[in-house]
Amino acid sequence: FYLTPPQVNSILKANEYSFKVPEFDGKNVSSVLGFDSNQLPANAPIEDRRSAATCLQTRGMLLGVFDGHAGCACAQAVSERLFYYIAVSLLPHETLLEIENAVESGRALLPILQWHKHPNDYFSKEASKLYFNSLRTYWQELIDLNSGETTDVKEALINAFKRLDNDISLEAQVGDPNSFLNYLVLRVAFSGATACVAHVDGVNLHIANTGDSRAMLGVQEEDGSWSAVNLSYDHNAQNEHEVERVKMEHPKSEEKSLVKQDRLLGLLMPFRAFGDVKFKWSIELQKRVVESGPDQLNDNEYTKFIPPNYHTPPYLTAEPEVIHHKLRPQDKFLVLATDGLWETMHRQDVARIVGEYLTGVHHQQPIAVGGYKVTLGQMHGLLTERRARISSVFEDQNAATHLIRHAVGNNEFGTVDHERLSKMLSLPEELARMYRDDITIIVVQFNSHVI
């Protein structure tokens, strides 16, 4: 199909969301000015999720992107639950006691998070009681363990990730008398999700990453140009340290079968993820849970099969790698995105496109036509197009949308080609996934004055 520019725009803007941090007395006292986020599905339904929330009892803002595989159930659960686990891990002992006493006596709870959600961001009402009970057990344990020390953010992030993954596993093993919920917890545990989460508090930025979504900082150099700083490492076969880590955790006899065709046990691209109990539980436990589970589970081929060379589970962990960065005035924005973006764009281009979008200033690169034979007429066309691009106000009101437009529509000259965009966005569902992955992006803009 040929899509008109308005049709292209309505597809690109369908899931966009923006949040501006409120000002007090005409001043914004937060190190975050606001954020833009957006999603473009390739899978139907989309397997990516996103979350953003302000922590109300501690300072700080949480933002995250989650990339699901083998369905969207695990990504959905993690997007709803992880921030509560992080917030609870960060709370001081007195606040945890207040919350527990309120639940105990049936009083209204202190709100922990203020969510910033798009109307399309689904929340599962059916499981909320189950999720709440697991979270409550966690904070009760934190109260009992109280050491009186203030919690280190890095430690809190690691504990929250591991604990949520543990709860996902436990809920699936225990099951639920309600057959709908029983099926839900099993779907969550048997599917998987990667997570890349940012916690911003004043000048302290922590990135907790599990899997192959990425965090990147956009830095403005003194001459006004843009550069990118990586704040996460992909946990996959391209990361030598990660391959070494996996090999260290299993006997030497398994060395050849651990990573095959760049996948864990020849099957899984990310080497860290939530859920995916196929790579964590013993064979006996998998069989017991599947046999006693609902019939829908038995019809699912994925749950029955055991990965090849499966000798010493667990092969997979949800433990995040945490990087701390102290924000500087030249750090202008943060991009969190699932691998759908990074497969199509280099981080340097991402930094430049977002930087120019946010400042409205184009730094003219010489037009590079890398090895193409270009006629004078084509060159004239490129220059005319470039001039039109500078004079036209940016058509997107959202930095994440602007980035998706480039990720999907860029031609070999690095400019957005409407015809290419139209083709890519009108691909039928079954074909779309062959050309691109789901793309989810959050662009966080920092407040240089406060920093």
Side-chain angles (χ1 to χ4, degrees), residues 54-111:
T54 303
C55 301
L56 294 172
Q57 306 302 329
T58 58
R59 289 179 25 191
M61 195 169 199
L62 285 164
L63 306 111
V65 294
F66 312 95
D67 187 349
H69 45 264
C72 57
C74 188
Q76 179 61 44
V78 175
S79 74
E80 293 180 34
R81 305 178 68 181
L82 181 58
F83 287 7
Y84 281 114
Y85 280 70
I86 294 171
V88 162
S89 307
L90 287 167
L91 287 176
H93 186 246
E94 303 73 70
T95 314
L96 288 173
L97 278 174
E98 275 175 54
I99 291 173
E100 176 56 29
N101 291 337
V103 177
E104 201 49 37
S105 58
R107 290 198 313 277
L109 271 187
L110 285 173

Side-chain angles (χ1 to χ4, degrees), residues 1-20:
F1 296 108
Y2 181 78
L3 303 173
T4 62
Q7 286 171 319
V8 163
N9 282 346
S10 72
I11 293 171
L12 287 179
K13 293 170 188 280
N15 297 310
E16 67 179 15
Y17 178 83
S18 292
F19 175 75
K20 294 281 169 276

